[in-house]
Amino acid sequence: MTQDTLLVPAAGDLAAEDTRWWRDAVIYQVYVRSFADSDGDGVGDLPGIRSRLPYLAGLGVDALWLTPFYVSPMADFGYDVADYRDVDPLFGTLADARDLIADAHAHGLRIIADIVPNHTSDRHAWFQAALAAPPGSPERARYIFRDGRGPDGAQPPNDWESVFGGPAWTRLPDGQWYLHLFAPEQPDLNWENPEVHAEFADVLKFWLDLGVDGFRVDVAHGMAKAPGLPDVGHADQVEMLGTAVLPYFDQDAVHDIHREWRRLLDSYDGERIAVAEAWAPTPERLAAYTRPDELHQAFNFHYLTAPWEAPGMREVIEESLRTAEAVGAPATWVLSNHDVKRHVTRYGGGERGLRRARAAALLTLALPGSSYVYQGEELGLPEVLDLPEEFQQDPQRLRGEGAGRDGCRVPLPWEGEEPPFGFGAGTASWLPIPTAWRDLTVAAQRDDPGSMLALYHEALRIRREHPALGDGDLRWLAGPPGTLVFVREAGDGNRRLACAINMGDRSARVRVHGSPLLASGPLDVDGEHVHLPPDTALWWDVEER
């Protein structure tokens, strides 16, 4: 495509546009363990988040997505839930959750809670009851128990593998096997059982009644299992940043569950939403999760995995907008999260990785739809690649060297000259913070106009105030080789903003009709042109000619 317009339904085309906040929201991911520690035990908690709400409101985001804070033995750091209706003492109390939700709302921030419906903890009361009950019992019917294969049942029921490595089945002393697509401590629920449907509807109501504004749905592609649980043999799978889109995921029946949840969400006032963490093999399959009667958004992992080169990036952007528009959903854009290497490191690390991350921020925040910011990316934090072995606890490490996710979960540096840099009142953090991060703290960057934090502050301010940004459409403009150039237009046609990014290896001369607003790095202005260095992006107000 050259000058074609990729259409996404503009907010002005929708009924009750003032409540459709999620169509162009900037949502900040809080990894609860690593954001702020209020009690000095080295682990982040809900009161710690509450104490930093002024920072988040000042940053200019619209909503917070909180990773699981429910009661859990922490075999997978909270994604193994033992009680969905209470807060783990490590993170605070249910009263703390209520106070955080209320205080966030007072700061103009919405709260999106993580929900984990594919599996529970093996310490959940249901699974404990299943262990105590005989094969064929109603208690075991809540999970996926099967007899083994072979004369003595000593072989797993099928050849499925866990996402974390090894067989997806564990055998009990009575001879039966149970399914766990993740860690053995995370038994998969049986979503063919109506009792499971009823339980999760009640859990969602519990948190909606407490005031949460929506849910991020963990493994939204996983709850429905292939009928008969067949072997997959050597079936193809897609690998995305170490996460396998296995053939037994993304079953069509999962969409019936999401339709149930959408009806429940729509019964509440205030546009309560659900966001799918769905790994699908194609953008079309991913878009199915956001059809009008299903979930509101899905994370765009195809964008997250896009190459750092203009043609490939443009192809991903076009395909994302096209497939989102086909189902009437907003596109979403995400660069990092708690499951993948931080993009400063993925983009090459060091000065080059930082330049690219700055440019990627402007590209991402200029695209139509909703953007996600993973805590610390506004500080330019890199992946921590040299964590001591004794601190590496991620169960995904079983998949092999370098597969763990601890390096992107290191706590935030807030202030000071030595670790833990104001993360908490104590002298340590659950993962050690590199001493070199003293120059990356919030305090060190707050008054530096050239810092990554200053770039995010200004970009988010412009995005919030400029009528051409957020939801809407995009029109590509011609640009030099190695660049992407496009324009965004306000609904009334009176304001336009253009974005150019140079993903090539040499300076690019880009024609600019208008006034530069924000650049990710230094550039030379030459009349109506700018010389855009490699790995640099620019926003400008477009003037009529």
Side-chain angles (χ1 to χ4, degrees):
M1 299 179 67
T2 55
Q3 299 291 329
D4 302 75
T5 297
L6 298 174
L7 295 178
V8 178
D13 298 330
L14 300 167
E17 69 173 274
D18 58 332
T19 66
R20 298 277 174 141
W21 61 272
W22 45 274
R23 291 195 63 90
D24 59 5
V26 176
I27 300 173
Y28 186 99
Q29 182 191 352
V30 174
Y31 190 70
V32 176
R33 294 179 66 90
S34 298
F35 188 71
D37 168 25
S38 71
D39 57 12
D41 66 355
V43 178
D45 47 42
L46 299 185
I49 299 169
R50 189 180 175 203
S51 72
R52 298 293 187 175
L53 289 175
Y55 166 79
L56 294 167
L59 185 61
V61 299
D62 301 296
L64 312 180
W65 153 33
L66 309 183
T67 55
F69 48 77
Y70 315 110
V71 175
S72 169
M74 302 295 165
D76 189 20
F77 299 112
Y79 284 94
D80 49 318
V81 181
D83 185 347
Y84 289 86
R85 297 177 182 82
D86 203 358
V87 174
D88 194 281
L90 188 67
F91 300 134
T93 66
L94 196 56
D96 290 326
R98 290 193 187 96
D99 291 343
L100 174 59
I101 294 167
D103 208 7
H105 289 167
H107 280 84
L109 298 167
R110 291 179 167 89
I111 294 290
I112 297 172
D114 222 314
I115 193 72
V116 187
N118 180 71
H119 47 262
T120 71
S121 166
D122 61 353
R123 307 288 180 85
H124 192 284
W126 274 13
F127 194 72
Q128 291 296 304
L131 295 179
S137 63
E139 290 82 3
R140 290 203 175 183
R142 295 164 173 160
Y143 294 88
I144 300 176
F145 284 86
R146 294 290 187 274
D147 294 328
R149 296 190 290 194
D152 57 358
Q155 298 299 315
N158 65 23
D159 64 355
W160 293 7
E161 294 184 357
S162 163
V163 170
F164 289 164
W169 296 91
T170 290
R171 197 180 193 191
L172 298 177
D174 63 21
Q176 276 208 315
W177 299 74
Y178 70 88
L179 178 70
H180 52 87
L181 294 181
F182 293 85
E185 298 89 350
Q186 295 169 292
D188 277 49
L189 287 158
N190 174 19
W191 275 90
E192 295 182 2
N193 187 332
E195 193 175 357
V196 175
H197 288 252
E199 170 67 5
F200 273 86
D202 192 72
V203 168
L204 296 182
K205 290 176 184 175
F206 178 86
W207 291 102
L208 289 167
D209 290 343
L210 257 66
V212 302
D213 300 282
F215 301 95
R216 177 265 193 184
V217 184
D218 185 62
V219 196
H221 57 303
M223 294 100 84
K225 306 302 189 272
L229 308 183
D231 285 342
V232 297
H234 297 289
D236 292 337
Q237 67 184 48
V238 178
E239 190 82 14
M240 288 185 177
L241 292 176
T243 297
V245 184
L246 296 161
Y248 37 87
F249 282 128
D250 190 37
Q251 298 294 312
D252 289 342
V254 78
H255 298 285
D256 294 331
I257 302 168
H258 298 319
R259 291 186 184 98
E260 289 179 23
W261 287 17
R262 179 59 180 262
R263 289 192 293 270
L264 173 60
L265 290 164
D266 285 349
S267 71
Y268 280 79
D269 293 332
E271 288 290 323
R272 315 293 181 95
I273 73 164
V275 183
E277 185 227 16
W279 293 86
T282 67
E284 288 80 10
R285 293 289 300 183
L286 182 64
Y289 289 83
T290 58
R291 288 176 287 199
D293 60 345
E294 294 194 40
L295 307 184
H296 298 73
Q297 295 182 350
F299 291 126
N300 188 351
F301 295 119
H302 294 276
Y303 179 72
L304 186 149
T305 59
W308 189 263
E309 49 96 10
M313 183 68 78
R314 175 167 171 166
E315 180 180 352
V316 168
I317 292 169
E318 290 180 344
E319 194 169 38
S320 299
L321 292 171
R322 175 180 57 80
T323 53
E325 188 272 335
V327 295
T332 65
W333 313 101
V334 58
L335 294 169
S336 285
N337 64 31
H338 67 292
D339 284 332
V340 300
K341 279 194 171 93
R342 287 187 175 275
H343 58 278
V344 166
T345 299
R346 294 201 325 270
Y347 288 156
E351 288 301 315
R352 183 176 70 171
L354 191 61
R355 285 196 311 273
R356 290 180 171 181
R358 291 175 64 90
L362 294 195
L363 171 65
T364 300
L365 292 171
L367 292 171
S370 178
S371 295
Y372 284 77
V373 174
Y374 178 47
Q375 65 174 48
E377 75 174 70
E378 79 276 18
L379 303 177
L381 298 185
E383 185 84 357
V384 180
L385 300 173
D386 56 352
L387 281 170
E389 179 70 25
E390 63 268 23
F391 287 100
Q392 298 183 37
Q393 307 169 51
D394 181 12
Q396 188 165 295
R397 283 193 310 137
L398 296 174
R399 299 192 67 206
E401 185 177 353
R405 299 164 293 179
D406 300 292
C408 65
R409 300 175 174 184
V410 172
L412 288 193
W414 290 94
E415 60 195 9
E417 297 296 319
E418 299 293 336
F421 296 116
F423 170 66
T427 59
S429 52
W430 73 282
L431 289 174
I433 306 176
T435 303
W437 282 12
R438 63 166 54 94
D439 296 328
L440 300 179
T441 67
V442 172
Q445 297 193 45
R446 183 179 289 123
D447 298 323
D448 177 3
S451 69
M452 180 72 93
L453 182 59
L455 180 74
Y456 268 79
H457 266 288
E458 186 63 6
L460 289 168
R461 182 192 67 79
I462 295 172
R463 179 186 166 96
R464 181 183 293 268
E465 296 176 0
H466 202 291
L469 292 180
D471 206 3
D473 35 340
L474 171 155
R475 178 165 54 89
W476 294 107
L477 302 176
T483 68
L484 296 178
V485 187
F486 58 88
V487 67
R488 304 290 316 281
E489 187 171 294
D492 59 9
N494 291 329
R495 290 285 301 280
R496 291 185 292 166
L497 180 144
C499 175
I501 182 170
N502 184 0
M503 307 182 87
D505 57 5
R506 61 183 61 186
S507 182
R509 190 168 182 258
V510 177
R511 192 169 188 178
V512 175
H513 292 307
S515 306
L517 291 173
L518 184 62
S520 67
L523 46 83
D524 294 325
V525 179
D526 177 16
E528 292 185 343
H529 294 82
V530 297
H531 295 275
L532 202 60
D535 306 325
T536 306
L538 169 68
W539 288 356
W540 70 94
D541 253 328
V542 180
E543 294 177 357
E544 295 290 344
R545 296 297 301 245

